[in-house]
Amino acid sequence: MAGPMAAQWGQQPTDNLSTLVDPDLNEVIGILHQRFQNQHIYTTIGDIILSVNPQQTIPLYGSRVGDFYKDVPSALSQQPHIFTTACRAHRYLQIHNTDQAIVLSGENGSGKTEAVKILVSQFGRLSTVGSQDPPQSDVASLLNEAMSLLEEFGNADVGINRNSSRHGKMVELAWDDGKLVGAEIMVLGLEKNRVMFSEHGEKNFHVFYRMLVGFDQEMRTRHRHNQSYRIIEPIDGGQIYRDMADAEDNEVKYRYLREYLNTLGIEHQTFRSGRQTAGTAIFEVLSALLHLGNIHFAPDPESDSAFVANQVEVEAAAELLGVQAQDISGMLLTRYGYSGGQRVMYRRDTSGASLTRNSFVRHIYFQLFDWLVKTINKRLAPTGQYRHNSKQLKTVGILDLPGFDNLMTNSLEQLHFNLAEERLQDHVTELVFRREFHDLQTDGIKVPDTKFRDNSEVLDAFYDSNIGLLRLIDENTDPSPNADMDLLNDIKRRHSKKSSVVKTDNTGQTFMVIHHRGQVIYNIEVLLTKNRPVRVRSFDALMEYSQNPLLHELMSTPHDGSSHSRHPGDTSDDLTLTQTYAAALRGMFRRLEGRETQHVWCIRPNMTLEPGVFDVDVVARQLTAMNVVEAARIRSMGYPVRISTRDFIDRYRFVGLPLSAHIDSPQGACHRVIRKAGIPDGGWQVRQRKVMLAWWHQDYLDTALERALRHVIFVQSRLRGYVARRKFYRMRRYFREDRDVLSNFLDDVSSHGLRTYHACQAQNDHNTREIERQYTGRDGGRRQARHHSDRSERDSYYSRSGYRGQSEVYNGHIDQTLDDFTTFKQTVLHDVTTKRDLDPTTWCKVICMEYDRPVGKFYVQNRDVHIDGTYDPFDGDRIGIGVFRNPERSRKTETIRAYLGQGLVLHHDTEGNIWAKRLSNNDVIVQGYDDPGNHSLSGDVILNKGSLPHGHSMKVFDMKELRSRIGLELKSHTFNRARLRHQTIVCFSLLEEEKTILDTPCWLCVVNINALNALETPDVLSQVEKMMAQAELRTEDEDLKDEKSHDAKARHLRTQWSRTDQREGFTQGESSRKLRIALRKRGEDIKNHMDYSWNTDRRGSSSQKQMTVDSLQDQVLRDPDGGLDGRRSGPTSPIGTGKTREWAKVKVTVKTSMAKEESEMDAMMKSRMSRY
C-alpha cells in the first residue's frame, strides 16, 4: 500500500497532531505521508516529536538552522524540529534547575542513532549562548566523534538496517550555568556473539570491514593478512563487499576511523611500558581475532580429543597477541578439573575446543569495546574546577536503546533487545498515559475517553517471580542433555493458562512471545547455550604475561560491572548473561527517575531502505504499537503539564507576585501568576493539589519568567557593582597605607644591615691578621704539617659521593683502584648500614637492576617474597618489575623483562640462610659460583654452576660459609670487616648472564641484612673465636702426639741422646723440636741454626736501650695502626714479637706527651685571643 494518500486534503496538513479533533489512524497516516513527501519529516504531538526516517540526507540541519531555533523562545512559533526538543531541555535545565532526560523510542532502522548526534550538535550550540567561551562546545564535537567511533566497533549491517546499533547507550551531558562542560557514555548489552557468527544477510561489526581494505601493504604483511576470514565472510558464500563502491566506501570510512582515534587522543596514546601506541595495538588485537576465528579443529584418529588443523593461524594470532603459540593451543585443547582431590588435565573434543575459541574471541572483543568506552569517558570528563564540583553539575541524559529485533533466528541477544524495548515502552506509557489518568481521577477531573495499548502483561511474562521467562531460562541454563526440553515443559506448564503472550509449539525447539510490536519466535537451544556463564579467568591468565601492552589494560578491567561503560556482560563467572543484563537495564532506567522527560518517537518508513518510499502498512504498525493516535487525543483533551501548587509558586512567583508578598491562598496566587503570564482563560485548571496546564502553557510561563529574571539580574548587577567598587576603593586605600609603612621599615633595616656588615668585616680582618701572627710561633708549623699529613692519609682511602660518611673505611688490604662492581657494593652496603629506621623484622634488601642502573629498591619483612614480571605494585609479598620505569631502557632489557614470567621466590630461615626457588621457565643464574672465595654461597650453587632449579628451593646464601670467612679473617690477624660485608650480597642474573654483572641487562641484587647484623654482633665474633681456639687445640694435640711418636722411634734408632739445651727457636716462633727434626731430615748441623736465650736477651736489651722516645714517636706517626699492638709487626719491625706489654707502656708515654703539647698550645691560643 505504498503510495500517496494526501490527495483528499486540499490544504496544507497540520504539523501538530494534538490540534486534531477526535483523530484516527488513517487521518494521522495521511498527514505524516503528505509531510514526508514534502521532506517535512518532523511532526509534533504537543511536546512530543514524531520523526520519520528519510533514509537520505536532507538540508534540515547545520549551524544556520540550529541558531534559528535556539533564538526562538516558544515552540508555537517554530516549525517542528528535533532542535526544539534540545532547546526545551536546555531551557528547563536552567529555569527549573532539575536534571533533564530525552527518551528516543522506535524500532530498528528508525533513525535513533543519527537523532542522538543531531541533539548533541544542537546542545553544543546552546552551550555558547550568553558566554564568551565558545571552546566549551568542543565537548559536543568530541562526543559526536566518540559516538561515531563506537558505531564502528558496536554497529553492524543487519540487512534491514545498514547501521544497526547492537548495543544500547545513554549519553549524559554535564552542565554548569548553561555551559556544556563534560559528558559520559554508558553502554548496555553489546551483542558479543556477532563477532563469531552472523545470520544470513547480516554482517559482523563495521571495524573488520574497514581495516580489511584500509590497510596498506606494509600493515597487511605485518598483520599476516590472508585473503579470507571466516568470521566476516557471508554464510551463503557471497562476496564480503556488495560491489566496488561498497569497498571504496569502507576504505574512506577507515580513514575516518583513524581520524576519530586521533581526535580523541587514542591513536598516539602510550601505555606504561612505552613500547607501543594504542592505535597500533588496537588493530593488532583485531587482526589477531581474525586469525583466531580461522582456527579449525580435527579429531584425533585414536581418540575423541581435538587437535589444531591449521597451526599457522595459531602462530599468527600468538605473534599479534604477544604470547606463545603453545599457550594458546593448550588453552583451546585442554581443560583442568579435580578428581579425588588431585588436579587433572582433560583433552577437549572438537566441539569443546570450538566453544572455547568462540568464547575467547568474544571475551577479547568485549574487553576492547569496554576499554574504548572507558578511555572516551576519561577524555570527555569535566576538567579543572568542574571535576571538583561534579555533584553541583546538572545533567541531560539521552537514552537510545536497541530497537525491536525480529530476525530469521532469534536467540539471547534478540530477547535482551526486545526486553529493553518493552521496558522503554512501559516507561513512556507511564509518563504519557498512566500518570495523567491517575492525577485527573485524583483531582476529580473527567478523564478523556481513550484507550491505549498497555504492555504490562508482556513485562509480567518476563519478570513475574513465579512464571517469569527470565527465571525459567536461568533455572534451565546448566548444561544437561534435556535442558531445552525442560525449559519448554516449564513454559507450557506455567504459561499455558496464566499468560496469553507466551506460546509454545510441538517441535520442542522454540517458543513465541507476542510483544507489543509483534510476535517473535526464539530458539531455545541457542538461547540456553549463550546464556551460560563465561569462564574468563583462564583467558586472563593467558594474557597476563602478553607483550602487547593493550592486552594488559584489557585484562586488568574489572569484571564486576563497576566500569564507566555500565556494561552487563561478563560481570561474574557465576552469573548468567540474562541476570547481568536485567540488572544493568534496571540500573539504567533508575537513572531516569526524578528527571523532566522529553520524548522523540522515531518511525521507519519502509523495510527496503529505499529513500522517499512511505509504506503505509509498515508505518501503521508502528503508530499502533506506539499509541500515537491515543497520545494525540490525550494531548488535545488532557493536561500533560501537572505541577504541585507549592512547586508552581516557588518556580514562577517572580512572574506575578512581589518579592515581599505574603501568600495566604496558594490557589489565588497561582491564578494571578497564570494571568500575568498572558495565558488565556480555558485549557487550564488550578486544583487543590496541582496546577493543570496544556503543553504550550509552560512555554508562556517560562518566557515570562525569563523576562522577570532579566529585570532582577539587571538590578542585582547594579547593586553588586556598587558594593564591589566601594570595597575596591577601601582596599586600595589600605594597600597604599601599608605600602608606605613597609617601605620605611625596609629602608631602616637596609641601612642598619649595611652598618653592621662593615663593622663585622673590619673586626674579622683584624682578628685574622692577629691569629696568623700568633699561630706562626713555636711548634705551629709542625702541627699544621701533622694535621695535613693525617688528612691526606685519611683521604687516600677510597670514598665516593654519598659514601664518605661511612664509619669504617677500607684498609690497605683492598686495592685502591676498585672496579665498578666493588664501588656499587660499597654504595649499597652504605645505604643499608646507615639506615636507622629499619624494622627489626627486615631480613633483606632487594634492588632490581638494569645494567648499572637501579630501577627499584625494596626492604623485605615477610618470610617469602615473590619477584615476577607482572605490573603489580610492591605489597610486601610480591614485587612486579613490570611497573618500573627506565627512560634509558634498551630493547634487550625489554625483551628479557617480558619473558620473566612468574620469576622466582626468595625466603630465609631462622639461621639467616637465603633460599631461592625458580618458578619461571627461563634461566635464573646466581652470580659468583665460579669465584667461591669471594662469596658466601652454598655448595649446591657451586655444583649447579649457579643455575637455580625449577620448582623447588635451593640454599643460595650459607651462613656457615660466612662464619668460615670470619674465622679466616681472624686467623690472618688482619680482620677486614668491609671485605666480609661484601660477601653478604647475592646477585641473580635473569635469563642472560654476562661476563660482568654490570653488563647484565636485567639482574637482582639481594643484601642479607641478617648477615650484616651478625658481623656487627660481638657474640658472633666471640663464638667464631672460640670455635677457632678449639680447632687449634685439637690440631696442636694431634701434632704433639705425632711428634712424640716420631721422637720415640728416633730415640730407638740413635745410640746417644741427651736433653735439649735451654735455647729459643727462631724469631718467627717455630718450636725447637720441629726445627731439629727438619734439620736432621736435611742432614745439616743443628748448632749452626740455634740461638741461645742469653744471646737473644743481650741483643734485645742492647737494641732496646738504643731506642728513644722521639724515635718511637716517629715510628708511631709512620704507622699509627701497626707495631704497638703486636699485630702488624713483621720480621723487619724494630719491635720484636712477644714484647706487647713493653710497647703498650711506650704507646701510653707517646700519647701522654702529645696530649700535653696540645693542651699547652690550646692554653696559649686562648690567652692570646682573650686579649681581643
Side-chain angles (χ1 to χ4, degrees):
M1 291 181 59
M5 289 189 58
Q8 52 180 315
W9 288 279
Q11 59 183 357
Q12 185 71 19
T14 181
D15 57 8
N16 189 349
L17 299 182
S18 65
T19 61
L20 299 177
V21 179
D22 195 17
D24 58 20
L25 182 61
N26 291 330
E27 184 179 6
V28 171
I29 292 176
I31 294 173
L32 295 178
H33 188 190
Q34 186 174 1
R35 291 180 60 78
F36 182 79
Q37 286 185 325
N38 296 332
Q39 291 191 342
H40 296 156
I41 63 172
Y42 295 112
T43 307
T44 60
I45 312 175
D47 57 343
I48 302 174
I49 293 291
L50 266 180
S51 172
V52 183
N53 188 0
Q55 306 283 9
Q56 60 182 334
T57 302
I58 54 178
L60 288 181
Y61 314 99
S63 299
R64 292 183 59 186
V65 179
D67 293 339
F68 168 77
Y69 277 93
K70 76 179 182 181
D71 293 333
V72 179
S74 176
L76 291 174
S77 57
Q78 301 170 338
Q79 287 290 327
H81 201 288
I82 195 172
F83 284 165
T84 61
T85 302
C87 295
R88 184 182 297 112
H90 183 258
R91 177 187 293 182
Y92 290 175
L93 186 74
Q94 292 182 280
I95 297 177
H96 303 169
N97 197 30
T98 57
D99 293 338
Q100 302 293 311
I102 300 177
V103 177
L104 293 90
S105 57
E107 66 179 35
N108 199 348
S110 59
K112 299 190 299 299
T113 301
E114 291 300 322
V116 174
K117 295 181 182 178
I118 295 170
L119 288 170
V120 170
S121 299
Q122 183 64 7
F123 277 121
R125 300 184 189 97
L126 293 170
S127 175
T128 63
V129 174
S131 171
Q132 300 299 323
D133 191 14
Q136 290 290 345
S137 61
D138 289 346
V139 176
S141 61
L142 285 176
L143 181 57
N144 273 330
E145 298 272 329
M147 290 190 294
S148 299
L149 176 63
L150 293 182
E151 286 180 20
E152 299 296 324
F153 286 84
N155 289 25
D157 185 349
V158 296
I160 62 174
N161 184 4
R162 299 281 173 80
N163 188 33
S164 175
S165 295
R166 311 316 294 169
H167 62 279
K169 65 177 178 291
M170 183 174 181
V171 181
E172 275 199 351
L173 308 176
W175 298 82
D176 180 74
D177 194 20
K179 298 178 184 179
L180 182 60
V181 298
E184 182 183 14
I185 301 175
M186 288 156 284
V187 176
L188 174 72
L190 178 68
E191 187 186 11
K192 298 184 296 181
N193 193 63
R194 183 170 294 272
V195 182
M196 290 302 300
F197 298 103
S198 56
E199 300 293 338
H200 179 75
E202 299 183 7
K203 290 187 176 182
N204 209 319
F205 293 107
H206 292 326
V207 64
F208 293 108
Y209 304 94
R210 311 292 195 234
M211 59 184 277
L212 201 61
V213 295
F215 281 176
D216 54 20
Q217 186 59 41
E218 179 185 356
M219 293 190 69
R220 289 193 182 97
T221 303
R222 189 171 60 196
H223 293 183
R224 301 174 67 172
H225 270 203
N226 303 326
Q227 295 297 324
S228 62
Y229 293 101
R230 186 182 64 83
I231 64 175
I232 61 175
E233 291 181 348
I235 296 179
D236 56 5
Q239 297 295 323
I240 296 179
Y241 304 100
R242 291 185 295 272
D243 48 30
M244 185 60 66
D246 185 26
E248 293 175 354
D249 180 64
N250 278 275
E251 185 176 2
V252 172
K253 290 181 178 178
Y254 171 77
R255 292 195 291 269
Y256 289 159
L257 171 61
R258 300 306 289 256
E259 290 179 4
Y260 299 151
L261 292 171
N262 187 47
T263 303
L264 294 168
I266 302 175
E267 176 71 30
H268 301 290
Q269 175 182 339
T270 57
F271 301 95
R272 287 180 292 181
S273 62
R275 296 196 303 266
Q276 200 176 36
T277 60
T280 303
I282 286 172
F283 289 101
E284 285 187 355
V285 172
L286 293 174
S287 298
L289 296 184
L290 292 177
H291 289 291
L292 289 173
N294 275 1
I295 298 175
H296 64 269
F297 306 95
D300 191 334
E302 299 180 357
S303 64
D304 294 334
S305 59
F307 67 91
V308 177
N310 50 347
Q311 187 66 24
V312 64
E313 297 290 353
V314 178
E315 295 174 354
E319 180 181 350
L320 294 170
L321 293 177
V323 297
Q324 299 295 323
Q326 59 267 27
D327 293 338
I328 294 181
S329 300
M331 181 199 65
L332 297 178
L333 299 177
T334 61
R335 65 180 179 87
Y336 289 90
Y338 287 89
S339 177
Q342 299 294 327
R343 192 165 183 256
V344 182
M345 183 185 73
Y346 300 95
R347 299 280 300 182
R348 302 183 195 271
D349 56 10
T350 55
S351 176
S354 299
L355 290 176
T356 305
R357 175 202 60 197
N358 299 343
S359 299
F360 184 45
V361 172
R362 289 196 296 265
H363 177 63
I364 292 179
Y365 191 83
F366 166 78
Q367 292 296 105
L368 175 62
F369 185 80
D370 193 59
W371 176 84
L372 280 174
V373 175
K374 289 183 179 180
T375 305
I376 289 171
N377 286 335
K378 290 179 182 178
R379 180 71 174 86
L380 298 176
T383 58
Q385 58 179 344
Y386 306 114
R387 178 178 301 175
H388 301 294
N389 300 328
S390 58
K391 294 183 179 180
Q392 301 178 3
L393 300 178
K394 295 299 178 181
T395 60
V396 176
I398 306 175
L399 180 64
D400 172 24
L401 294 180
F404 178 72
D405 234 2
N406 189 5
L407 307 178
M408 296 182 60
T409 302
N410 300 291
S411 59
L412 187 67
E413 291 82 3
Q414 285 68 43
L415 182 74
H416 290 169
F417 291 167
N418 294 337
L419 175 61
E421 172 66 23
E422 295 290 351
R423 284 294 305 270
L424 179 62
Q425 181 62 30
D426 180 71
H427 181 74
V428 173
T429 303
E430 176 70 20
L431 295 179
V432 176
F433 297 102
R434 297 196 195 106
R435 290 186 182 179
E436 183 166 354
F437 283 11
H438 177 268
D439 290 341
L440 294 179
Q441 291 175 354
T442 302
D443 286 328
I445 301 175
K446 183 181 178 181
V447 178
D449 186 14
T450 182
K451 294 182 179 181
F452 58 90
R453 296 186 62 181
D454 196 343
N455 66 334
S456 300
E457 187 178 1
V458 180
L459 288 176
D460 291 341
F462 278 98
Y463 287 105
D464 187 272
S465 59
N466 294 322
I467 65 172
L469 286 175
L470 298 183
R471 177 181 176 181
L472 297 180
I473 292 173
D474 288 336
E475 289 177 351
N476 293 277
T477 295
D478 293 336
S480 63
N482 299 323
D484 49 352
M485 291 302 301
D486 293 341
L487 175 60
L488 186 65
N489 294 332
D490 288 343
I491 294 175
K492 287 181 179 180
R493 185 174 64 257
R494 302 188 186 187
H495 284 270
S496 59
K497 297 181 180 180
K498 296 183 179 180
S499 176
S500 60
V501 298
V502 180
K503 307 293 182 182
T504 58
D505 61 2
N506 296 324
T507 62
Q509 298 178 352
T510 61
F511 68 92
M512 181 179 66
V513 177
I514 304 175
H515 295 277
H516 79 282
R517 288 186 179 272
Q519 62 184 21
V520 180
I521 299 175
Y522 297 98
N523 186 291
I524 294 179
E525 182 180 0
V526 179
L527 187 148
L528 292 178
T529 301
K530 294 181 180 179
N531 190 50
R532 295 187 180 108
V534 178
R535 307 294 177 180
V536 301
R537 294 171 184 169
S538 59
F539 304 153
D540 294 346
L542 174 63
M543 297 294 106
E544 183 178 0
Y545 299 106
S546 169
Q547 295 187 57
N548 190 311
L550 177 59
L551 286 177
H552 286 292
E553 297 285 340
L554 300 185
M555 296 307 118
S556 63
T557 301
H559 308 307
D560 56 359
S562 61
S563 65
H564 290 287
S565 64
R566 309 296 200 275
H567 219 303
D570 288 348
T571 57
S572 173
D573 281 359
D574 299 324
L575 297 179
T576 64
L577 294 183
T578 298
Q579 291 172 334
T580 55
Y581 187 90
L585 188 62
R586 286 193 300 270
M588 187 164 286
F589 277 97
R590 194 177 298 117
R591 298 178 70 89
L592 297 177
E593 296 176 359
R595 299 175 183 254
E596 291 184 351
T597 304
Q598 313 295 326
H599 299 278
V600 178
W601 294 354
C602 301
I603 299 174
R604 180 190 183 101
N606 59 74
M607 302 300 292
T608 58
L609 303 178
E610 298 182 37
V613 176
F614 190 91
D615 192 324
V616 174
D617 291 338
V618 174
V619 174
R621 175 176 55 80
Q622 297 175 72
L623 295 179
T624 303
M626 300 170 70
N627 292 317
V628 171
V629 176
E630 290 77 9
R633 187 176 293 115
I634 198 171
R635 279 290 188 266
S636 174
M637 303 170 60
Y639 301 96
V641 180
R642 302 174 302 281
I643 310 174
S644 66
T645 54
R646 179 184 297 273
D647 292 341
F648 185 86
I649 294 174
D650 291 342
R651 184 182 299 176
Y652 297 111
R653 65 179 302 161
F654 289 119
V655 175
L657 299 174
L659 185 62
S660 59
H662 178 71
I663 300 174
D664 295 327
S665 173
Q667 287 75 21
C670 292
H671 279 87
R672 185 174 178 180
V673 169
I674 292 173
R675 291 190 175 92
K676 188 68 175 179
I679 300 176
D681 294 337
W684 55 270
Q685 294 189 40
V686 179
R687 312 296 291 185
Q688 185 69 24
R689 296 173 53 253
K690 292 187 176 182
V691 178
M692 308 288 185
L693 302 171
W695 65 270
W696 52 273
H697 291 161
Q698 193 164 12
D699 288 341
Y700 273 80
L701 289 168
D702 290 338
T703 302
L705 180 61
E706 286 181 336
R707 186 167 55 250
L709 289 177
R710 281 197 297 270
H711 295 161
V712 173
I713 292 172
F714 176 79
V715 175
Q716 288 180 345
S717 65
R718 295 300 183 269
L719 290 175
R720 289 172 179 170
Y722 170 73
V723 174
R725 283 191 296 274
R726 288 196 60 182
K727 184 178 180 180
F728 170 74
Y729 294 148
R730 185 168 60 252
M731 292 178 62
R732 185 175 63 179
R733 184 175 70 253
Y734 293 157
F735 169 76
R736 289 174 177 175
E737 294 175 357
D738 294 341
R739 183 188 60 187
D740 294 340
V741 173
L742 182 61
S743 177
N744 295 333
F745 173 75
L746 291 178
D747 290 341
D748 294 341
V749 171
S750 177
S751 61
H752 181 72
L754 288 175
R755 291 194 301 269
T756 304
Y757 171 75
H758 291 305
C760 293
Q761 187 67 29
Q763 182 68 31
N764 185 62
D765 295 340
H766 175 75
N767 293 341
T768 302
R769 290 193 299 271
E770 185 64 21
I771 291 173
E772 289 178 351
R773 183 177 63 82
Q774 297 293 340
Y775 196 64
T776 55
R778 183 175 59 87
D779 202 34
R782 180 179 179 183
R783 290 186 177 277
Q784 290 182 359
R786 182 186 306 168
H787 174 72
H788 177 74
S789 175
D790 292 344
R791 185 177 62 184
S792 300
E793 187 171 0
R794 287 196 302 270
D795 291 343
S796 67
Y797 295 119
Y798 177 77
S799 63
R800 187 179 179 90
S801 177
Y803 189 61
R804 192 175 296 275
Q806 188 174 1
S807 59
E808 179 177 311
V809 298
Y810 291 91
N811 56 29
H813 291 277
I814 294 181
D815 188 3
Q816 300 301 316
T817 59
L818 300 175
D819 58 13
D820 293 338
F821 185 50
T822 303
T823 302
F824 167 78
K825 289 194 292 185
Q826 291 174 353
T827 305
V828 170
L829 291 171
H830 178 261
D831 293 342
V832 176
T833 55
T834 57
K835 191 172 183 61
R836 303 302 182 187
D837 56 348
L838 279 179
D839 190 274
T841 61
T842 304
W843 64 274
C844 80
K845 178 180 181 180
V846 179
I847 306 174
C848 301
M849 300 290 300
E850 295 178 5
Y851 292 102
D852 59 349
R853 177 181 292 273
V855 296
K857 305 176 182 180
F858 306 93
Y859 286 92
V860 181
Q861 300 175 6
N862 297 348
R863 182 177 180 272
D864 299 341
V865 60
H866 186 187
I867 306 172
D868 57 15
T870 62
Y871 288 83
D872 299 332
F874 178 59
D875 58 357
D877 294 324
R878 178 187 293 269
I879 299 176
I881 69 172
V883 301
F884 302 144
R885 298 179 180 272
N886 183 4
E888 301 179 2
R889 179 171 295 148
S890 65
R891 184 176 298 275
K892 191 173 185 180
T893 304
E894 288 183 0
T895 304
I896 291 177
R897 284 161 50 91
Y899 281 96
L900 180 58
Q902 298 183 16
L904 70 157
V905 175
L906 300 178
H907 69 277
H908 73 108
D909 55 22
T910 56
E911 296 181 0
N913 302 313
I914 296 180
W915 299 72
K917 177 171 65 175
R918 176 169 61 90
L919 302 180
S920 172
N921 294 328
N922 300 298
D923 290 335
V924 176
I925 305 298
V926 181
Q927 286 287 336
Y929 68 89
D930 54 350
D931 184 18
N934 290 320
H935 299 83
S936 296
L937 303 178
S938 68
D940 294 337
V941 173
I942 300 173
L943 292 176
N944 290 342
K945 294 185 178 180
S947 178
L948 287 181
H950 182 273
H952 65 273
S953 298
M954 182 177 73
K955 184 189 295 184
V956 177
F957 183 91
D958 194 344
M959 281 295 293
K960 292 183 178 179
E961 187 68 21
L962 180 62
R963 290 192 180 95
S964 301
R965 303 296 176 188
I966 295 174
L968 292 176
E969 291 289 335
L970 292 174
K971 188 174 181 180
S972 65
H973 301 295
T974 57
F975 184 73
N976 190 344
R977 194 184 304 273
R979 183 159 53 204
L980 293 173
R981 287 174 179 170
H982 285 199
Q983 298 196 11
T984 61
I985 296 177
V986 184
C987 300
F988 299 88
S989 299
L990 305 180
L991 274 78
E992 183 172 331
E993 180 186 14
E994 299 292 341
K995 293 182 178 180
T996 61
I997 188 64
L998 295 182
D999 294 331
T1000 303
C1002 191
W1003 56 286
L1004 301 175
C1005 176
V1006 181
V1007 182
N1008 190 341
I1009 297 179
N1010 290 335
L1012 279 176
N1013 295 335
L1015 291 177
E1016 304 297 334
T1017 304
D1019 295 341
V1020 175
L1021 300 180
S1022 299
Q1023 292 175 5
V1024 174
E1025 290 177 347
K1026 291 180 181 179
M1027 293 171 59
M1028 289 181 55
Q1030 293 174 2
E1032 290 179 356
L1033 289 175
R1034 287 195 299 268
T1035 304
E1036 290 179 358
D1037 293 341
E1038 292 175 358
D1039 292 341
L1040 185 58
K1041 292 179 180 180
D1042 293 341
E1043 290 178 4
K1044 289 181 178 179
S1045 176
H1046 185 274
D1047 291 344
K1049 294 179 181 179
R1051 284 196 300 268
H1052 287 289
L1053 296 177
R1054 287 191 314 177
T1055 58
Q1056 293 181 354
W1057 178 81
S1058 62
R1059 292 183 175 270
T1060 305
D1061 294 333
Q1062 299 297 322
R1063 294 170 289 185
E1064 293 186 359
F1066 274 6
T1067 57
Q1068 296 179 354
E1070 190 173 6
S1071 65
S1072 60
R1073 181 183 297 276
K1074 295 174 64 175
L1075 178 61
R1076 289 194 299 272
I1077 293 172
L1079 292 176
R1080 288 193 186 98
K1081 289 182 179 180
R1082 293 198 298 266
E1084 298 181 7
D1085 190 3
I1086 298 176
K1087 295 181 178 180
N1088 297 332
H1089 295 274
M1090 299 299 291
D1091 290 332
Y1092 293 92
S1093 59
W1094 50 85
N1095 293 332
T1096 302
D1097 293 340
R1098 189 178 300 113
R1099 288 194 299 268
S1101 61
S1102 61
S1103 61
Q1104 183 174 356
K1105 289 180 180 180
Q1106 294 173 358
M1107 299 281 291
T1108 63
V1109 173
D1110 291 335
S1111 62
L1112 292 175
Q1113 182 173 346
D1114 293 337
Q1115 174 65 21
V1116 171
L1117 291 177
R1118 285 194 303 270
D1119 191 6
D1121 294 331
L1124 296 181
D1125 56 356
R1127 288 187 178 182
R1128 298 192 51 188
S1129 300
T1132 61
S1133 174
I1135 307 173
T1137 58
K1139 306 298 187 219
T1140 304
R1141 292 185 179 180
E1142 297 179 6
W1143 278 105
K1145 295 179 181 180
V1146 174
K1147 182 176 180 181
V1148 172
T1149 304
V1150 171
K1151 288 186 176 181
T1152 304
S1153 176
M1154 293 174 63
K1156 183 176 181 181
E1157 292 179 358
E1158 290 179 359
S1159 62
E1160 292 176 355
M1161 178 61 68
D1162 292 341
M1164 181 182 64
M1165 293 298 298
K1166 288 181 181 180
S1167 62
R1168 292 182 178 179
M1169 292 296 296
S1170 63
R1171 299 176 183 176
Y1172 301 97

